[in-house]
C-alpha cells in the first residue's frame, strides 16, 4: 500500500506539475494573473483606446471598467459580439458585450449593474437566438455567473440584495489543473513564443492614438470594439463558411429545435425585461441580421425554424409592452446582402448601425 | 458526472480509500453509497422510484419461486413480474416510438412525451430479468436482502452502459472481502487510462467528421457512404469499448472482475462471429433468455417438425431463423425508440446472416469453381474486409437520423463517387475541429496501439503482462508519454458516451 501511495503521488506530481505550472504562467484567459486586465481597465477608465489583449476574461474586464466609471452612462448596450462592434450613435453610452452571450450573461450583466447601482436610464439588449439554449445560471462567462443568480433572486424572491450577493471566486481555480485549459495555454505559448511569457514585455497593454490607422483589434473606453479592416473576410469565403455551416447543421453555438413557447430560459428572460421596466428603465431590443444563406436555412429547416419563431415572439412581446425593436434576423427586411458581412456571423460596422436603425413596428 | 472527468476519477479514488479502510462487512455498503451518490449526481432524483420498483418486484418474485411449490403459481408470478419490469422499460423508453408511428400513419399531431427514464434502465432491467429467470429455473439462489439486490442492479461503474452481468457472476464479488492488491489496482488504473485515451483521443475527434459526412449524403455519395459508415463504426467502437475499459478498470480496482464486452471484433471473418465479440454480454443475454427459450417452446418444436416434413433437411433450420429474426429485432428495439434500429439495424443484420446461411452451398460451389483456398491468408483478409464492409453498411442506419435517412444514404452508395471535391470540403470543414496534424498523429498512434492490443486480445494474451515485465524506467517513460498524449491531444468535455443514451 505504501509503495502504491508513493508511486501515485509521484505520478500525480509528474503529470499535474507541468500542467499546473504552464496554466499558471501562460494563463490564457488571465484568470489568475489579473494584472493585464487591471491595466486594461485602468487605461480604458483613463479614456484611452487600447489594443485588445488577446484572450482575457471579458466578465472580469467589464466589472473592473464599471468600477472605474465616475458616473453611470445614460444607455448601456448588453449582448454578444453582435453589439460589441457596432459604431453606436448615442451620446452617453457603454457597451457591455460578452462574446456569445447566453441568457445567463444578460442576467449577469444586469446583476452586476444592479449590485453596483449602475443600472442606466436605457438598456438595449442585442438578442441572439442561441441565447436561450442555456439557463439563467449557466452563462458563457463563468466569472460573472454568480451575478446572474443574484439578479434572478432580485427579480423572483424580492429579497434583500446584499444578502444574496454570493460571488464564487473559487470556481476559476478548477482551471488550474484543467487539461483543456492546458491545451489553450500550450497553444498560446506556441503562438506567442517563450519570450512573450517570460520576457520583460510580457502582457503589456498597448494604447492607440489613431484607431483608423491601427491594424489591431481595439477596445474603446466606452466598451465598444473595432476589428481591423484587414480581418474582414472575402465575400466568397464568407459565403462558403455560411454554406458549410448549413451543410454541417452546426450554426455557431445555436442548438436545434428551439421553441420560444416552450422555453423556460426565454420566460426567464422576459421576466428580466419586465422587472427592469417595472424599475423604470427604458428597455429596447436589437436583432442583428443573419447571413442570407443562413436565414434562408432557418426559414425552411424544421430544426432551426425556432429562430423565425423567436423573432415573432419577441415582436409580439415588444408590441404588448411598448418596447422599441431594432433590426431583424431576416436580412431581406433590413436590406442586408451577403456583401455586408465582415465574416459569416457579423455585419460590417457601418451596416450594423444601418441595421440597428431599421425599426419595422412603428 | 462524466466518467472521463477528473471529478469522477477523484470520486473513485476517495471511494477506494474508504473501501480499503472500512471493515470487510461494510465494504459492500461503501459500494452501495457510491452507487446512490453516482445515481443522484446524474439522474433526476425521482427516477430512482422506477429502479426501486424493478428491484423490489424482482426480489419478491425470486424469493416466492423458492418457497412456492405450485408451478402454475410460480409461472403467474413470473409473468406478472416480467410485465411490470418490461412495462416500465417499454412505457419510459418506447412511448414516443408509438406516438411517432401513430403520427406517421394517421397525422393527428398526438405530440410526444418528455418522461425521464431511470439511469441505465436498459441495462439493469436485463440484469434483473436474468436474475428473475435464473431463480425461476432454479439455476440461481434468490437473494435474501433486497438492498443487496439493489446494489447488484445499480453497481455504479457498470450501471449506465453495462456490461450486463449475471447475478451468479457478480453478486459474490460485490459482497466478499477485498483487500488492497497492488497488481490488481495498477492493472485497473492502466485499463482506465487506456479507455480514457480511446474516448478522448479517437472517438471524440472522429465524431465531428462522422457528423459532417452523415449530414450531407448528396455530396458524400458513392464510396463516401462506405467511408462514413467505416468512420462511424470506428468512432462507436472506440467510444463504447473505451467506456468498457474504464468501467472494467474501475471495478477491477475495487476487486471486482466484470465480464468483457469486446474481444477484437474487427479481426473476425463473419458477421455472426463479429457479434459474438461486439457487445458480448447483450448477445449472450438474448441467446440465453430469449433465443433458447423461444426455440424450446412447444410451438417452435411443432414448427420444426412441420418444416422438416415439408422441406426436408433444409427446413430443419427454419425455426432457428425465425427465432434469430426475433432476437435481431429485439436488439434493434433495445437500442432505442426509432424504427431505424429495429428495421434498419436489426433486420439488416438478420438478413445478412440469413442469406449467408441459406446461400452457403452456393458460395461453397463458387469457391470451388474459382479454386479459392479458404485456408489461405488472402481469403481470410478478404473475409475480414467483407465483414467490416457489411457491418459498416448496416450501421449506417444506427447513426442516421431516422429510417428514411438511412435508406437514402444506402441508396446514395450506388451513385457516382466524386473524390477531390468532397475531400476538399470535408478537410476544410472538419480538419480544424478535428485538431489538425498533431491530433491526426495521436489518432494514428492510438490506431496502431489498438491493432497491437486487439491482436493480443484475440489470442487471449494480456498486453499488460508484457508491459509489467519491462524495466521500471522504460515503463514509467511509456506511462508518462501516454498520459501526456492524452493531455495534449484529448478532446475534453466534447460529448458523452454513445451508449449512455441507451
Amino acid at each position: 500500500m505504501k509503495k502504491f501511495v508513493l508511486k501515485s503521488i509521484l505520478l500525480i506530481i509528474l503529470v499535474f506539475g507541468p500542467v499546473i505550472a504552464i496554466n499558471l504562467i501562460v494563463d490564457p484567459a488571465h484568470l489568475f494573473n489579473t494584472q493585464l486586465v487591471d491595466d486594461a481597465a485602468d487605461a480604458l477608465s483613463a479614456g484611452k483606446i487600447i489594443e485588445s489583449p488577446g484572450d482575457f476574461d471579458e466578465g472580469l474586464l467589464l466589472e473592473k471598467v464599471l468600477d472605474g466609471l465616475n458616473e453611470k452612462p445614460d444607455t448601456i448596450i448588453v449582448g454578444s459580439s453582435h453589439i460589441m462592434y457596432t459604431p453606436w450613435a448615442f451620446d452617453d453610452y457603454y457597451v457591455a458585450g460578452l462574446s456569445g452571450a447566453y441568457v445567463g450573461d444578460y442576467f449577469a450583466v444586469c446583476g452586476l449593474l444592479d449590485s453596483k447601482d449602475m443600472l442606466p436610464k436605457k438598456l438595449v439588449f442585442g438578442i441572439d437566438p442561441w441565447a436561450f439554449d442555456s439557463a439563467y445560471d449557466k452563462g458563457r462567462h463563468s466569472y460573472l455567473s454568480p451575478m446572474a443568480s443574484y439578479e434572478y433572486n432580485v427579480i423572483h424572491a424580492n429579497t434583500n440584495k446584499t444578502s444574496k450577493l454570493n460571488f464564487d471566486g473559487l470556481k476559476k481555480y478548477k482551471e488550474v489543473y484543467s487539461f483543456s485549459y492546458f491545451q489553450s495555454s500550450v497553444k498560446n505559448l506556441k503562438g506567442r513564443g517563450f519570450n512573450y511569457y517570460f520576457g520583460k514585455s510580457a502582457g503589456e497593454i498597448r494604447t492607440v492614438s489613431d484607431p483608423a490607422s491601427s491594424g489591431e483589434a481595439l477596445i474603446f473606453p466606452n466598451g465598444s470594439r473595432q476589428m481591423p479592416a484587414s480581418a474582414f473576410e472575402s465575400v466568397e469565403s464568407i459565403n462558403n463558411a455560411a454554406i458549410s455551416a448549413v451543410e454541417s447543421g452546426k450554426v455557431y453555438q445555436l442548438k436545434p429545435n428551439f421553441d420560444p413557447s416552450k422555453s423556460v430560459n426565454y420566460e426567464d428572460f422576459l421576466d428580466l425585461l419586465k422587472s427592469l421596466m417595472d424599475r423604470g428603465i427604458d428597455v429596447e431590443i436589437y436583432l442583428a441580421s443573419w447571413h442570407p444563406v443562413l436565414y434562408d436555412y432557418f426559414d425552411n429547416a424544421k430544426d432551426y425554424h425556432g429562430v423565425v419563431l423567436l423573432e415573432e415572439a419577441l415582436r409580439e412581446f415588444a408590441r404588448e409592452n411598448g418596447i422599441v425593436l431594432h433590426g431583424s434576423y431576416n436580412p431581406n427586411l433590413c436590406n442586408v446582402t451577403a456583401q455586408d458581412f465582415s465574416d459569416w456571423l457579423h455585419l460590417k460596422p457601418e451596416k450594423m448601425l444601418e441595421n440597428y436603425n431599421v425599426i419595422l413596428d412603428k | 458526472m462524466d466518467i472521463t472527468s477528473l471529478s469522477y476519477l477523484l470520486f473513485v479514488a476517495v471511494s477506494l480509500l474508504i473501501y480499503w479502510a472500512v471493515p470487510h462487512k461494510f465494504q459492500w455498503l461503501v459500494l452501495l453509497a457510491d452507487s446512490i451518490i453516482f445515481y443522484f449526481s446524474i439522474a433526476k432524483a425521482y427516477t430512482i422510484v422506477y429502479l426501486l420498483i424493478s428491484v423490489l418486484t424482482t426480489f419478491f418474485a425470486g424469493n416466492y419461486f423458492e418457497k412456492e411449490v405450485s408451478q402454475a403459481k410460480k409461472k403467474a408470478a413470473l409473468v406478472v413480474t416480467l410485465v411490470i419490469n418490461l412495462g416500465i422499460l417499454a412505457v419510459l423508453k418506447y412511448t414516443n416510438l408509438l406516438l411517432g408511428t401513430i403520427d406517421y400513419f394517421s397525422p393527428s399531431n398526438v405530440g410526444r412525451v418528455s418522461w425521464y427514464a431511470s439511469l441505465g434502465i436498459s441495462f439493469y432491467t436485463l440484469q434483473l430479468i436474468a436474475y428473475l429467470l435464473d431463480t425461476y429455473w432454479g439455476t440461481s439462489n434468490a437473494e435474501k436482502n433486497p438492498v443487496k439486490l439493489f446494489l447488484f442492479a445499480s453497481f455504479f461503474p457498470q450501471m449506465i452502459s453495462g456490461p450486463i452481468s449475471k447475478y451468479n457472476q457478480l453478486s459474490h464479488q460485490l459482497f466478499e472481502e477485498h483487500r488492497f492488491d497492488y497488481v490488481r489496482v495498477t492493472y485497473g488504473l492502466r485499463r482506465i487510462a487506456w479507455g480514457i485515451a480511446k474516448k478522448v483521443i479517437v472517438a471524440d475527434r472522429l465524431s465531428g467528421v462522422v457528423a459532417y459526412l452523415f449530414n450531407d449524403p448528396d455530396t458524400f455519395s458513392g464510396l463516401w457512404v462506405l467511408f462514413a459508415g467505416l468512420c462511424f463504426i470506428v468512432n462507436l467502437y472506440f467510444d463504447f469499448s473505451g467506456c468498457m475499459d474504464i468501467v472494467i478498470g474501475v471495478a477491477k480496482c475495487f476487486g471486482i472482475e466484470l465480464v468483457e464486452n469486446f474481444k477484437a471484433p474487427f479481426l473476425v471473418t463473419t458477421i455472426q462471429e463479429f457479434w459474438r465479440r461486439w457487445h458480448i454480454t447483450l448477445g449472450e443475454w438474448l441467446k440465453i433468455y430469449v433465443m433458447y427459450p423461444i426455440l424450446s417452446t412447444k410451438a417452435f418444436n411443432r414448427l420444426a417438425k412441420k418444416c422438416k416434413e415439408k422441406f426436408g433437411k433444409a427446413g430443419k433450420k427454419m425455426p432457428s431463423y425465425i427465432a434469430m429474426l426475433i432476437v435481431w429485432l429485439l436488439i434493434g428495439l433495445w437500442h432505442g425508440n426509432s424504427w431505424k434500429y429495429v428495421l434498419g439495424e436489426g433486420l439488416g443484420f438478420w438478413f445478412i446472416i440469413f442469406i449467408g446461411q441459406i446461400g452457403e452451398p452456393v458460395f461453397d460451389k463458387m469457391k470451388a469453381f474459382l479454386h479459392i483456398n479458404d485456408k489461405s491468408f488472402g481469403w481470410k483478409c478478404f473475409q475480414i474486409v467483407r465483414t467490416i464492409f457489411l457491418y459498416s453498411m448496416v450501421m449506417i442506419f444506427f447513426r442516421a437520423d431516422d429510417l428514411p435517412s438511412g435508406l437514402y444514404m444506402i441508396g446514395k452508395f450506388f451513385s457516382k463517387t466524386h473524390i477531390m471535391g468532397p475531400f476538399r470540403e470535408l478537410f476544410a470543414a472538419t480538419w480544424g475541429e478535428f485538431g489538425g496534424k498533431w491530433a491526426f498523429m495521436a489518432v494514428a498512434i492510438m490506431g496502431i496501439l489498438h491493432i497491437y492490443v486487439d491482436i493480443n486480445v484475440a489470442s487471449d494474451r494480456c498486453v499488460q503482462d508484457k508491459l509489467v515485465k519491462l524495466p521500471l524506467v522504460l515503463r514509467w517513460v511509456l506511462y508518462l508519454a501516454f498520459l501526456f498524449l492524452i493531455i495534449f491531444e484529448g478532446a475534453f468535455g466534447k460529448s458523452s458516451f454513445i451508449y449512455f443514451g441507451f
Side-chain angles (χ1 to χ4, degrees):
Chain A
M1 183 77 156
K2 197 178 163 189
K3 186 175 136 195
F4 173 74
V5 171
L6 287 174
K7 280 187 171 180
S8 299
I9 292 171
L10 180 62
L11 192 68
I12 288 168
I13 291 171
L14 288 172
V15 171
F16 283 94
V19 169
I20 293 170
I22 296 288
N23 280 351
L24 286 174
I25 291 167
V26 177
D27 191 18
H30 302 284
L31 294 176
F32 311 111
N33 180 3
T34 61
Q35 190 57 49
L36 192 76
V37 179
D38 288 342
D39 291 349
D42 287 347
L44 292 169
S45 300
K48 290 174 182 162
I49 301 166
I50 61 166
E51 285 180 12
S52 180
D55 294 328
F56 62 95
D57 191 316
E58 292 174 358
L60 180 64
L61 181 66
L62 179 60
E63 190 198 22
K64 287 184 184 293
V65 171
L66 287 176
D67 282 340
L69 291 180
N70 294 324
E71 52 189 62
K72 58 183 173 188
D74 285 342
T75 302
I76 292 183
I77 301 125
V78 186
S80 68
S81 56
H82 272 140
I83 56 100
M84 278 181 194
Y85 296 105
T86 307
W88 300 94
F90 300 114
D91 287 333
D92 180 21
Y93 70 98
Y94 186 79
V95 181
L98 295 170
S99 301
Y102 286 126
V103 159
D105 299 300
Y106 299 131
F107 267 89
V109 171
C110 292
L112 189 65
L113 295 169
D114 200 357
S115 67
K116 293 179 187 297
D117 279 328
M118 293 282 282
L119 280 170
K121 287 178 192 160
K122 186 198 277 186
L123 268 169
V124 180
F125 287 89
I127 300 169
D128 295 298
W130 61 73
F132 308 102
D133 290 336
S134 205
Y136 79 89
D137 58 347
K138 300 268 185 303
R140 205 173 119 155
H141 298 264
S142 57
Y143 176 78
L144 286 181
S145 64
M147 280 296 149
S149 300
Y150 164 73
E151 187 63 13
Y152 187 86
N153 286 330
V154 168
I155 297 168
H156 291 89
N158 201 20
T159 49
N160 182 344
K161 286 182 189 180
T162 46
S163 69
K164 288 284 174 186
L165 201 58
N166 172 27
F167 215 88
D168 181 10
L170 293 175
K171 219 173 175 179
K172 67 178 183 182
Y173 290 104
K174 267 187 164 180
E175 300 297 338
V176 174
Y177 56 87
S178 153
F179 295 152
S180 45
Y181 199 63
F182 175 72
Q183 289 174 345
S184 301
S185 300
V186 171
K187 206 172 160 188
N188 273 261
L189 196 57
K190 273 200 266 184
R192 289 181 172 161
F194 197 76
N195 281 341
Y196 181 87
Y197 293 99
F198 296 93
K200 280 181 182 173
S201 65
E204 267 180 16
I205 289 295
R206 293 175 189 87
T207 56
V208 175
S209 51
D210 179 14
S213 63
S214 172
E216 300 293 327
L218 304 177
I219 305 178
F220 291 81
N222 64 356
S224 67
R225 312 281 179 97
Q226 178 185 297
M227 286 298 288
S230 59
F232 293 0
E233 294 172 29
S234 69
V235 176
E236 190 194 358
S237 150
I238 291 168
N239 283 342
N240 286 341
I243 291 165
S244 172
V246 167
E247 286 177 346
S248 67
K250 273 179 142 182
V251 184
Y252 185 45
Q253 58 188 19
L254 183 61
K255 289 182 188 157
N257 302 319
F258 170 69
D259 182 349
S261 66
K262 292 176 185 162
S263 168
V264 176
N265 303 334
Y266 180 67
E267 281 298 313
D268 284 341
F269 178 68
L270 296 189
D271 288 345
L272 172 68
L273 297 193
K274 283 178 201 161
S275 161
L276 290 166
M277 287 187 289
D278 289 346
R279 285 180 261 172
I281 293 160
D282 183 13
V283 169
E284 295 188 3
I285 291 172
Y286 166 49
L287 310 180
S289 290
W290 284 83
H291 189 284
V293 169
L294 286 163
Y295 189 80
D296 188 47
Y297 176 56
F298 298 150
D299 207 12
N300 297 303
K302 199 176 145 196
D303 290 355
Y304 287 101
H305 196 67
V307 176
V308 178
L309 298 179
L310 174 65
E311 178 161 348
E312 285 170 10
L314 282 169
R315 285 194 181 281
E316 194 183 334
F317 178 78
R319 270 194 299 272
E320 284 169 2
N321 292 279
I323 292 174
V324 178
L325 195 149
H326 305 260
S328 168
Y329 292 144
N330 185 348
N332 303 321
L333 298 177
C334 301
N335 197 25
V336 167
T337 65
Q339 279 74 28
D340 297 324
F341 285 79
S342 60
D343 60 36
W344 70 276
L345 197 57
H346 299 98
L347 288 161
K348 286 175 181 163
E350 64 276 15
K351 197 69 194 180
M352 274 195 193
L353 192 56
E354 206 181 308
N355 191 227
Y356 176 82
N357 288 332
V358 172
I359 300 172
L360 298 170
D361 303 322
K362 288 182 179 162
Chain B
M1 206 186 302
D2 177 1
I3 69 166
T4 56
S5 68
L6 286 173
S7 47
Y8 178 75
L9 297 179
L10 192 67
F11 169 70
V12 171
V14 172
S15 302
L16 279 169
L17 292 176
I18 299 169
Y19 187 70
W20 292 322
V22 299
H24 153 237
K25 59 180 178 179
F26 298 125
Q27 280 188 317
W28 74 275
L29 291 172
V30 175
L31 294 180
L32 179 73
D34 286 342
S35 300
I36 292 170
I37 292 168
F38 184 71
Y39 190 97
F40 286 124
S41 74
I42 295 183
K44 292 265 175 198
Y46 72 86
T47 59
I48 204 165
V49 173
Y50 307 131
L51 172 60
L52 286 171
I53 293 171
S54 293
V55 169
L56 288 174
T57 51
T58 314
F59 170 77
F60 287 122
N63 282 280
Y64 181 74
F65 298 149
E66 283 196 342
K67 286 176 200 154
E68 184 55 54
V69 187
S70 160
Q71 201 56 35
K73 284 184 182 172
K74 280 163 77 170
K75 202 169 185 175
L78 174 71
V79 170
V80 169
T81 316
L82 281 174
V83 167
I84 293 171
N85 280 274
L86 291 173
I88 293 172
L89 177 69
V91 169
L92 292 176
K93 202 170 163 182
Y94 302 112
T95 303
N96 278 337
L97 175 65
L98 181 70
L99 294 174
T101 310
I102 292 169
D103 241 0
Y104 181 80
F105 286 108
S106 58
S108 46
N109 204 14
V110 285
R112 301 287 185 276
V113 295
S114 49
W115 297 330
Y116 286 97
S118 40
L119 195 64
I121 189 168
S122 300
F123 294 94
Y124 77 70
T125 303
L126 298 197
Q127 285 202 173
L128 288 171
I129 288 175
Y131 163 81
L132 184 76
L133 289 168
D134 284 345
T135 49
Y136 177 74
W137 292 330
T139 54
S140 172
N141 292 328
E143 173 58 60
K144 303 296 174 208
N145 184 342
V147 184
K148 286 187 172 178
L149 190 65
F150 178 86
L151 175 58
F152 164 69
S154 65
F155 178 46
F156 80 94
Q158 66 165 90
M159 191 188 187
I160 38 181
S161 50
I164 300 159
S165 299
K166 291 186 73 179
Y167 184 74
N168 281 345
Q169 178 266 327
L170 184 60
S171 62
H172 65 94
Q173 296 192 71
L174 289 173
F175 311 121
E176 70 192 10
E177 180 178 7
H178 294 289
R179 287 287 153 229
F180 172 78
D181 178 337
Y182 180 84
V183 174
R184 201 179 54 216
V185 172
T186 50
Y187 182 99
L189 292 176
R190 281 190 290 264
R191 188 87 191 255
I192 294 169
W194 179 237
I196 291 174
K198 280 159 83 172
K199 169 69 177 163
V200 299
I201 295 178
V202 184
D204 284 350
R205 296 234 173 259
L206 267 182
S207 61
V209 179
V210 171
Y212 200 84
L213 289 166
F214 272 78
N215 206 49
D216 187 8
D218 290 325
T219 303
F220 299 101
S221 58
L223 287 174
W224 285 102
V225 173
L226 175 64
F227 181 68
L230 275 171
C231 284
F232 174 60
I233 60 169
V234 173
N235 170 214
L236 182 64
Y237 179 52
F238 274 80
D239 189 280
F240 191 18
S241 70
C243 176
M244 284 303 103
D245 288 324
I246 298 169
V247 166
I248 290 169
V250 169
K252 184 112 184 164
C253 291
F254 284 94
I256 292 160
E257 300 284 345
L258 295 176
V259 279
E260 293 289 342
N261 233 355
F262 291 91
K263 192 180 178 187
F266 288 100
L267 300 177
V268 300
T269 53
T270 64
I271 284 285
Q272 295 97 305
E273 186 58 19
F274 193 102
W275 272 96
R276 278 195 281 274
R277 290 163 179 250
W278 174 286
H279 207 169
I280 296 168
T281 54
L282 177 66
E284 278 290 303
W285 190 94
L286 287 160
K287 196 168 76 183
I288 298 169
Y289 301 104
V290 178
M291 183 136 166
Y292 292 165
I294 287 177
L295 285 173
S296 62
T297 58
K298 284 177 188 166
F300 264 75
N301 282 325
R302 276 200 299 272
L303 183 70
K305 260 186 195 171
K306 277 187 181 169
C307 288
K308 200 179 171 187
E309 283 165 19
K310 205 160 189 181
F311 305 107
K313 218 177 169 183
K316 204 178 154 188
K317 280 190 169 177
M318 201 67 86
S320 66
Y321 294 142
I322 296 170
M324 225 159 60
L325 174 63
I326 295 169
V327 166
W328 277 109
L329 294 179
L330 283 176
I331 287 182
L333 193 63
W334 180 86
H335 274 112
N337 59 355
S338 167
W339 290 113
K340 68 175 182 171
Y341 296 116
V342 185
L343 300 179
E345 183 203 1
L347 202 57
F349 281 122
W350 174 80
F351 185 71
I352 289 169
I353 294 169
F354 176 68
I355 292 293
Q357 291 197 356
I358 62 164
E360 207 172 345
V362 181
F363 299 140
D364 286 343
K365 277 180 191 165
M366 279 169 70
K367 269 192 291 184
F369 178 74
L370 295 168
H371 303 290
I372 291 168
N373 174 10
D374 56 10
K375 300 278 184 294
S376 69
F377 178 72
W379 178 247
K380 282 246 155 58
C381 289
F382 165 76
Q383 286 181 303
I384 290 172
V385 170
R386 179 196 60 188
T387 305
I388 293 172
F389 166 78
L390 291 172
Y391 190 72
S392 307
M393 292 306 280
V394 177
M395 289 301 274
I396 281 171
F397 288 103
F398 195 98
R399 176 61 180 77
D401 290 341
D402 48 32
L403 186 63
S405 309
L407 288 168
Y408 185 74
M409 257 189 103
I410 298 286
K412 280 283 163 188
F413 174 67
F414 298 100
S415 54
K416 199 177 170 191
T417 307
H418 298 277
I419 302 290
M420 286 319 290
F423 174 75
R424 270 194 290 267
E425 187 188 322
L426 181 70
F427 189 81
T430 60
W431 185 244
E433 198 194 347
F434 183 81
K437 63 180 177 188
W438 292 109
F440 184 78
M441 295 265 287
V443 171
I445 291 170
M446 281 299 293
I448 293 164
L449 286 176
H450 204 277
I451 290 169
Y452 173 73
V453 170
D454 264 8
I455 288 170
N456 279 278
V457 168
S459 318
D460 292 320
R461 287 192 299 263
C462 179
V463 175
Q464 289 213 39
D465 290 344
K466 293 182 184 181
L467 192 63
V468 293
K469 284 177 191 152
L470 293 174
L472 181 78
V473 176
L474 177 60
R475 210 165 66 226
W476 272 70
V477 167
L478 288 176
Y479 290 159
L480 287 172
F482 189 70
L483 289 173
F484 275 100
L485 183 74
I486 297 175
I487 294 169
F488 273 102
E489 294 306 329
F492 296 100
K494 268 204 161 179
S495 64
S496 184
F497 286 96
I498 295 170
Y499 265 69
F500 282 11
F502 303 136

